[in-house]
Amino acid sequence: MMRPPSPAASGGSVTYWQFDLLALALPVGLLLPGQRRLHFVVGPTAALVAVALVWTGPWDEHLIRAGVWSYGPARVLVLVGSVPVEEYVFVALEVVLLAAWGVRPGRLPRRPVGPPARTSRLPRWLPWAVLTLLGAVLAASGGQVRYLGLLLLWAGPPLALQNAIAGDLLQSRCWDRWVIAAPVVLWLCVADRLAMANGIWAISPAATTGMTVLGLPVEEALFFALTALLATNGLLLATDATALSRVAQVLSGGAGRHRHPRTKSPLARSG
């Protein structure tokens, strides 16, 4: 999930491992001490890390092979295929960072909130399905919209799935999602800008629109926003008894309307 630079941009001194340690591992280490509810989120976090690695690995591989992003050859230690192992470490640590930050303000886990009243007849998964189709069109078009298209094509399906299963529950936790995701997105955008300036990684100008936010390519800001949204949604749902019961129902092939349970789960008692 990181955007490494071309060999020509390898004039800095910070390695990818050092970036992972400073930008991700260090904040996690500062956030975790003193947290008494970590045992409630260890399992969900580990599961989400596994899902993130499986889903993102092939996408990263494609980005590198397509020349959308590249890494400074002297900045990485080991490659898994075309992807630096430090990239997989980044993927895992981003999820852990979101969990560590979510636990600190008391947003993970919390007592389940009743689903809000339905305000639209459109299914909540539909916007993400439309964005996925748009991503496919842009990715196929190539050129300067290629990275944008690949981003939407990668993030759209899991976001559509999350909202198909528990879009109402996610809507009821809208403020929690902002509190957890927004600070992490801002932090990673700043870190990304510094990493690109240092030559740890780079994205191809030929595959991006050229629009920037304070010097950061807009696609990179969108990348971190989408990854944080995916992970935050996953953490909230993985610690919500209602969402877990719905997933179990889907996996078992059960039918019927989604219901919000009146009984509290062990997770609910922690909030």
Side-chain angles (χ1 to χ4, degrees):
M1 284 161 73
M2 303 301 332
R3 314 286 160 273
S6 62
S10 58
S13 59
V14 179
T15 67
Y16 205 154
W17 272 115
Q18 290 170 329
F19 173 85
D20 283 346
L21 291 173
L22 293 173
L24 293 161
L26 179 60
V28 168
L30 294 174
L31 288 170
L32 289 182
Q35 297 304 311
R36 294 176 294 178
R37 295 178 298 167
L38 290 177
H39 58 288
F40 287 112
V41 297
V42 169
T45 301
L48 283 170
V49 165
V51 171
L53 291 173
V54 170
W55 181 252
T56 305
W59 182 73
D60 264 326
E61 183 80 22
H62 176 74
L63 289 182
I64 293 175
R65 291 183 178 276
V68 175
W69 70 269
S70 56
Y71 51 87
R75 308 302 185 84
V76 301
L77 295 178
V78 181
L79 297 180
V80 179
S82 300
V83 183
V85 70
E86 295 93 334
E87 174 71 358
Y88 289 102
V89 174
F90 173 86
V91 172
L93 285 177
E94 184 180 359
V95 178
V96 175
L97 178 59
L98 283 160
W101 175 248
V103 169
R104 178 162 287 274
R107 305 289 168 175
L108 290 171
R110 290 183 80 182
R111 184 174 291 106
V113 180
R118 186 70 175 169
T119 58
S120 173
R121 294 184 179 180
L122 293 176
R124 291 184 173 89
W125 55 263
L126 183 59
W128 297 110
V130 172
L131 284 177
T132 301
L133 293 176
L134 175 61
V137 172
L138 294 178
S141 300
Q144 291 184 299
V145 295
R146 188 172 191 178
Y147 185 19
L148 178 61
L150 289 171
L151 276 172
L152 297 177
L153 190 58
W154 164 76
L159 285 168
L161 179 62
Q162 288 175 340
N163 281 274
I165 294 175
D168 55 339
L169 302 179
L170 291 173
Q171 183 180 338
S172 72
R173 302 290 297 276
C174 184
W175 178 244
D176 289 335
R177 288 193 289 168
W178 273 101
V179 170
I180 296 171
V184 175
V185 171
L186 292 175
W187 168 251
L188 292 178
C189 282
V190 172
D192 187 20
R193 179 70 179 87
L194 294 175
M196 293 181 69
N198 190 265
I200 302 174
W201 60 77
I203 59 174
S204 170
T208 55
T209 61
M211 295 185 290
T212 62
V213 179
L214 298 177
L216 182 71
V218 68
E219 291 88 351
E220 286 294 87
L222 178 61
F223 168 75
F224 287 115
L226 290 173
T227 56
L229 180 61
L230 279 166
T232 300
N233 285 354
L235 288 166
L236 289 171
L237 296 180
T239 54
D240 186 291
T242 306
L244 293 175
S245 68
R246 292 183 185 180
V247 171
Q249 185 181 44
V250 170
L251 294 177
S252 65
R257 298 180 62 182
H258 296 319
R259 296 180 180 178
H260 193 79
R262 297 180 180 276
T263 58
K264 297 180 181 179
S265 70
L267 292 175
R269 289 197 294 271
S270 70

